[in-house]
Short mmCIF file of all heavy atoms in Angstrom, two decimals:
data_model
loop_
_atom_site.label_atom_id
_atom_site.label_comp_id
_atom_site.label_asym_id
_atom_site.label_seq_id
_atom_site.Cartn_x
_atom_site.Cartn_y
_atom_site.Cartn_z
N THR T 1273 95.58 110.51 117.94
CA THR T 1273 95.47 110.96 116.55
C THR T 1273 94.85 109.83 115.75
O THR T 1273 95.28 108.67 115.87
CB THR T 1273 96.84 111.31 115.96
OG1 THR T 1273 97.41 112.38 116.72
CG2 THR T 1273 96.72 111.73 114.50
N VAL T 1289 81.24 106.27 118.31
CA VAL T 1289 82.13 106.36 117.16
C VAL T 1289 83.24 105.31 117.27
O VAL T 1289 83.66 104.94 118.38
CB VAL T 1289 82.76 107.77 117.03
CG1 VAL T 1289 81.69 108.80 116.74
CG2 VAL T 1289 83.55 108.14 118.27
N ALA T 1301 84.31 104.86 121.18
CA ALA T 1301 84.14 105.91 122.18
C ALA T 1301 82.72 106.47 122.10
O ALA T 1301 82.12 106.52 121.02
CB ALA T 1301 85.15 107.03 121.97
N GLN T 1309 72.44 120.10 117.80
CA GLN T 1309 72.84 121.04 116.75
C GLN T 1309 73.90 122.03 117.21
O GLN T 1309 74.68 122.52 116.39
CB GLN T 1309 71.59 121.79 116.25
CG GLN T 1309 70.64 120.94 115.44
CD GLN T 1309 71.30 120.31 114.23
OE1 GLN T 1309 71.96 120.99 113.44
NE2 GLN T 1309 71.14 118.99 114.07
N ALA T 1316 82.60 116.88 114.12
CA ALA T 1316 83.85 116.15 114.35
C ALA T 1316 83.65 114.66 114.56
O ALA T 1316 84.63 113.92 114.68
CB ALA T 1316 84.58 116.73 115.55
N ASN T 1318 81.86 112.53 112.48
CA ASN T 1318 81.37 111.91 111.26
C ASN T 1318 82.46 111.06 110.61
O ASN T 1318 83.65 111.32 110.80
CB ASN T 1318 80.90 112.97 110.26
CG ASN T 1318 79.66 113.69 110.73
OD1 ASN T 1318 78.76 113.07 111.29
ND2 ASN T 1318 79.60 115.00 110.51
N PHE T 1325 91.84 113.61 119.00
CA PHE T 1325 90.65 113.41 119.80
C PHE T 1325 91.06 113.26 121.27
O PHE T 1325 91.92 112.44 121.60
CB PHE T 1325 89.89 112.16 119.34
CG PHE T 1325 89.48 112.21 117.90
CD1 PHE T 1325 90.32 111.73 116.89
CD2 PHE T 1325 88.26 112.76 117.52
CE1 PHE T 1325 89.95 111.77 115.56
CE2 PHE T 1325 87.88 112.82 116.20
CZ PHE T 1325 88.73 112.32 115.20
N TYR T 1328 88.26 110.66 127.49
CA TYR T 1328 88.30 110.31 128.91
C TYR T 1328 88.29 108.79 128.98
O TYR T 1328 87.35 108.15 128.51
CB TYR T 1328 87.11 110.90 129.65
CG TYR T 1328 87.06 110.48 131.12
CD1 TYR T 1328 87.84 111.11 132.07
CD2 TYR T 1328 86.23 109.43 131.51
CE1 TYR T 1328 87.80 110.72 133.40
CE2 TYR T 1328 86.18 109.03 132.84
CZ TYR T 1328 86.96 109.68 133.79
OH TYR T 1328 86.92 109.28 135.09
N ALA T 1339 87.62 117.51 120.10
CA ALA T 1339 88.33 117.10 118.89
C ALA T 1339 88.93 118.31 118.20
O ALA T 1339 88.32 119.39 118.18
CB ALA T 1339 87.40 116.36 117.95
N PHE T 1345 87.91 115.82 104.89
CA PHE T 1345 87.74 115.22 103.57
C PHE T 1345 86.43 115.71 102.94
O PHE T 1345 85.66 114.94 102.37
CB PHE T 1345 87.77 113.69 103.64
CG PHE T 1345 89.18 113.14 103.78
CD1 PHE T 1345 89.67 112.77 105.02
CD2 PHE T 1345 90.00 113.03 102.67
CE1 PHE T 1345 90.97 112.30 105.16
CE2 PHE T 1345 91.30 112.54 102.79
CZ PHE T 1345 91.78 112.17 104.05
N ASP T 1347 85.95 117.64 100.30
CA ASP T 1347 85.86 117.52 98.84
C ASP T 1347 85.50 116.10 98.43
O ASP T 1347 84.78 115.89 97.45
CB ASP T 1347 87.20 117.92 98.20
CG ASP T 1347 87.47 119.41 98.30
OD1 ASP T 1347 86.51 120.17 98.51
OD2 ASP T 1347 88.64 119.81 98.17
N THR T 1349 83.67 113.90 100.22
CA THR T 1349 82.28 113.59 100.56
C THR T 1349 81.28 114.45 99.78
O THR T 1349 80.07 114.20 99.84
CB THR T 1349 82.03 113.77 102.07
OG1 THR T 1349 82.43 115.08 102.48
CG2 THR T 1349 82.83 112.73 102.86
N VAL T 1378 98.11 100.76 108.57
CA VAL T 1378 96.75 100.73 108.04
C VAL T 1378 96.17 102.14 108.02
O VAL T 1378 95.53 102.55 107.04
CB VAL T 1378 95.85 99.79 108.86
CG1 VAL T 1378 94.40 99.90 108.41
CG2 VAL T 1378 96.32 98.35 108.73
N ARG T 1387 93.12 110.42 100.15
CA ARG T 1387 93.68 111.61 99.49
C ARG T 1387 93.79 111.40 97.99
O ARG T 1387 93.50 112.30 97.20
CB ARG T 1387 95.06 111.93 100.07
CG ARG T 1387 95.02 112.55 101.46
CD ARG T 1387 96.40 113.04 101.87
NE ARG T 1387 96.88 114.09 100.97
CZ ARG T 1387 98.13 114.56 100.97
NH1 ARG T 1387 99.03 114.05 101.82
NH2 ARG T 1387 98.49 115.50 100.15
N ALA T 1388 94.20 110.20 97.59
CA ALA T 1388 94.30 109.89 96.16
C ALA T 1388 92.93 109.92 95.51
O ALA T 1388 92.76 110.42 94.39
CB ALA T 1388 94.95 108.52 95.98
N ARG T 1396 89.24 105.77 89.92
CA ARG T 1396 88.76 105.30 91.23
C ARG T 1396 88.98 103.80 91.41
O ARG T 1396 89.34 103.33 92.49
CB ARG T 1396 87.27 105.62 91.39
CG ARG T 1396 86.94 107.10 91.44
CD ARG T 1396 85.44 107.27 91.72
NE ARG T 1396 85.04 108.67 91.70
CZ ARG T 1396 84.44 109.26 90.67
NH1 ARG T 1396 84.18 108.55 89.56
NH2 ARG T 1396 84.10 110.53 90.72
N TRP T 1405 94.74 95.48 97.76
CA TRP T 1405 95.91 94.61 97.74
C TRP T 1405 96.86 94.95 98.88
O TRP T 1405 97.41 94.06 99.56
CB TRP T 1405 96.64 94.71 96.39
CG TRP T 1405 96.09 93.83 95.31
CD1 TRP T 1405 95.58 94.22 94.11
CD2 TRP T 1405 96.02 92.40 95.32
NE1 TRP T 1405 95.19 93.13 93.38
CE2 TRP T 1405 95.45 92.00 94.09
CE3 TRP T 1405 96.38 91.41 96.24
CZ2 TRP T 1405 95.23 90.66 93.76
CZ3 TRP T 1405 96.16 90.07 95.92
CH2 TRP T 1405 95.59 89.71 94.69
N ILE T 1413 97.64 88.54 104.41
CA ILE T 1413 96.81 87.72 103.53
C ILE T 1413 97.15 88.10 102.09
O ILE T 1413 96.40 88.81 101.42
CB ILE T 1413 95.30 87.96 103.79
CG1 ILE T 1413 95.00 87.93 105.28
CG2 ILE T 1413 94.45 86.93 103.06
CD1 ILE T 1413 93.60 88.40 105.63
N MET T 1417 104.08 86.89 94.78
CA MET T 1417 104.16 87.35 93.40
C MET T 1417 105.60 87.43 92.90
O MET T 1417 105.83 87.90 91.78
CB MET T 1417 103.51 88.74 93.28
CG MET T 1417 102.09 88.83 93.80
SD MET T 1417 100.96 87.61 93.08
CE MET T 1417 101.01 88.08 91.35
N CYS T 1422 106.01 76.46 93.16
CA CYS T 1422 106.39 75.04 93.05
C CYS T 1422 107.90 74.84 93.22
O CYS T 1422 108.33 73.98 94.00
CB CYS T 1422 105.94 74.48 91.70
SG CYS T 1422 104.16 74.30 91.53
N GLN T 1462 103.65 93.44 92.01
CA GLN T 1462 104.94 93.45 92.70
C GLN T 1462 105.25 94.84 93.24
O GLN T 1462 105.76 94.99 94.36
CB GLN T 1462 106.05 92.97 91.76
CG GLN T 1462 105.97 91.49 91.42
CD GLN T 1462 107.01 91.08 90.39
OE1 GLN T 1462 107.49 91.91 89.60
NE2 GLN T 1462 107.36 89.81 90.36
N ILE T 1469 103.99 102.97 101.48
CA ILE T 1469 102.63 103.46 101.32
C ILE T 1469 102.61 104.85 100.68
O ILE T 1469 101.77 105.15 99.84
CB ILE T 1469 101.90 103.46 102.67
CG1 ILE T 1469 101.65 102.01 103.13
CG2 ILE T 1469 100.58 104.23 102.60
CD1 ILE T 1469 101.15 101.86 104.53
N LYS T 1471 104.39 105.98 98.45
CA LYS T 1471 104.76 105.94 97.04
C LYS T 1471 103.82 105.09 96.20
O LYS T 1471 104.10 104.82 95.03
CB LYS T 1471 106.19 105.41 96.90
CG LYS T 1471 107.24 106.29 97.56
CD LYS T 1471 108.64 105.74 97.38
CE LYS T 1471 109.69 106.64 98.02
NZ LYS T 1471 111.07 106.11 97.86
N PHE T 1473 100.65 105.67 95.07
CA PHE T 1473 99.80 106.31 94.07
C PHE T 1473 100.63 107.22 93.16
O PHE T 1473 100.54 108.44 93.20
CB PHE T 1473 98.67 107.07 94.75
CG PHE T 1473 97.81 106.18 95.60
CD1 PHE T 1473 97.98 106.15 96.98
CD2 PHE T 1473 96.86 105.36 95.02
CE1 PHE T 1473 97.20 105.31 97.75
CE2 PHE T 1473 96.08 104.51 95.79
CZ PHE T 1473 96.25 104.48 97.16
N GLU T 1480 93.10 97.04 80.33
CA GLU T 1480 93.33 95.59 80.34
C GLU T 1480 93.98 95.13 81.64
O GLU T 1480 93.55 94.15 82.26
CB GLU T 1480 94.21 95.20 79.15
CG GLU T 1480 94.55 93.72 79.11
CD GLU T 1480 95.57 93.38 78.02
OE1 GLU T 1480 96.08 94.31 77.37
OE2 GLU T 1480 95.84 92.18 77.83
N GLY T 1494 87.72 86.13 97.54
CA GLY T 1494 86.68 85.14 97.73
C GLY T 1494 87.20 83.86 98.34
O GLY T 1494 86.49 83.17 99.09
N GLN T 1495 88.46 83.54 98.04
CA GLN T 1495 89.06 82.31 98.54
C GLN T 1495 89.62 82.47 99.95
O GLN T 1495 89.52 81.56 100.77
CB GLN T 1495 90.19 81.87 97.59
CG GLN T 1495 90.92 80.60 97.99
CD GLN T 1495 90.14 79.35 97.66
OE1 GLN T 1495 89.14 79.39 96.94
NE2 GLN T 1495 90.57 78.22 98.20
N HIS T 1499 84.49 87.16 104.23
CA HIS T 1499 83.68 88.30 104.70
C HIS T 1499 83.11 89.03 103.50
O HIS T 1499 83.77 89.20 102.47
CB HIS T 1499 84.54 89.25 105.53
CG HIS T 1499 83.76 90.38 106.13
ND1 HIS T 1499 82.98 90.23 107.25
CD2 HIS T 1499 83.64 91.68 105.75
CE1 HIS T 1499 82.41 91.38 107.55
NE2 HIS T 1499 82.80 92.28 106.66
N ILE T 1500 81.87 89.47 103.65
CA ILE T 1500 81.22 90.29 102.63
C ILE T 1500 81.09 91.71 103.17
O ILE T 1500 80.56 91.94 104.26
CB ILE T 1500 79.82 89.75 102.29
CG1 ILE T 1500 79.94 88.36 101.65
CG2 ILE T 1500 79.10 90.70 101.32
CD1 ILE T 1500 78.61 87.68 101.40
#
Side-chain angles (χ1 to χ4, degrees):
T1273 299
V1289 295
Q1309 289 303 309
N1318 292 320
F1325 302 90
Y1328 176 81
F1345 283 99
D1347 289 341
T1349 54
V1378 173
R1387 285 189 62 191
R1396 295 185 184 101
W1405 276 120
I1413 313 169
M1417 306 305 298
C1422 290
Q1462 290 175 336
I1469 291 171
K1471 297 181 179 180
F1473 300 101
E1480 177 187 6
Q1495 180 78 12
H1499 184 79
I1500 296 174

